[in-house]
Amino acid sequence: MALLYTNPGLDEETSEKIITILQNRLSNEQEAALVLKHAHWNLVGPNFIAVHEMLDPEVDSVLNQADETAERISQLGGSPMGRADDVVANRSWDKFELTGRKSVEEYLKALIAYYEQFIAADREAIKQLDELDVISSNIIQDHVQDLEKFLWFMRAHLA
């Protein structure tokens, strides 16, 4: 990858490692927004309106996370990749398989499983970033805090 520059205290090799980790997280964040919208449009049944209206702010939240991650990549001299084919090319997590009109419960269970994997991947990224760049690590740590709060909301609907 060709960097435009490196930041003080970071060499090119380290910057490239950080950017690779962040690009993976960016792709997951972008896909999460699409998955949430998909569920928003397709869930039906009891508690429909509560969950339907709960999903839109989370879409905004993960898109804000994606923006923050992309901007960090740019700050490090890289070029964030944000096209749909980039999301698929960078996928290292399971594809969200639920399609069509399904119950609120089915979508929440599928979203919970998706978020558990999403958060686990963010936590792994944090471990790697802690050794490379505490600034980038802190960004992903903040994202995990928000994701875990939403995971709690979804779990509470099924309790």
Side-chain angles (χ1 to χ4, degrees):
M1 116 183 27
L3 300 179
L4 296 174
Y5 46 79
T6 58
N7 284 349
L10 294 174
D11 59 35
E12 189 170 339
E13 181 182 350
T14 301
S15 296
E16 288 175 351
K17 287 178 184 176
I18 297 163
I19 290 167
T20 298
I21 294 165
L22 292 175
Q23 180 58 56
N24 178 266
R25 300 296 67 230
L26 170 60
S27 293
N28 203 167
E29 292 158 355
Q30 289 180 285
E31 184 185 72
L34 295 171
V35 164
L36 289 161
K37 263 315 203 186
H38 170 77
H40 170 85
W41 295 323
N42 284 292
L43 53 83
V44 296
N47 297 314
F48 161 78
I49 197 65
V51 175
H52 178 82
E53 290 182 354
M54 180 180 77
L55 293 175
D56 270 339
E58 184 64 6
V59 171
D60 294 340
S61 178
V62 294
L63 286 173
N64 286 334
Q65 290 174 11
D67 188 54
E68 187 174 32
T69 303
E71 288 176 356
R72 182 65 183 156
I73 292 169
S74 292
Q75 291 163 17
L76 292 166
S79 297
M81 298 179 296
R83 300 169 306 161
D85 56 332
D86 296 321
V87 171
V88 173
N90 285 297
R91 183 182 287 129
S92 59
W93 55 92
D94 295 337
K95 181 180 174 184
F96 188 85
E97 296 288 349
L98 196 60
T99 62
R101 298 181 69 77
K102 302 281 190 297
S103 72
V104 168
E105 183 176 348
E106 287 176 279
Y107 267 106
L108 283 175
K109 286 180 179 179
L111 287 170
I112 287 168
Y114 184 87
Y115 261 61
E116 287 171 344
Q117 192 175 45
F118 187 9
I119 292 165
D122 271 355
R123 286 183 172 278
E124 184 57 37
I126 290 165
K127 288 178 193 172
Q128 296 171 26
L129 291 168
D130 278 347
E131 300 295 320
L132 300 168
D133 178 37
V134 69
I135 307 304
S136 297
S137 177
N138 286 341
I139 289 168
I140 303 303
Q141 288 173 40
D142 288 345
H143 295 179
V144 168
Q145 184 177 5
D146 291 342
L147 295 172
E148 286 182 347
K149 184 175 183 180
F150 190 71
L151 179 60
W152 169 50
F153 289 173
M154 292 189 293
R155 287 173 170 163
H157 272 280
L158 296 180

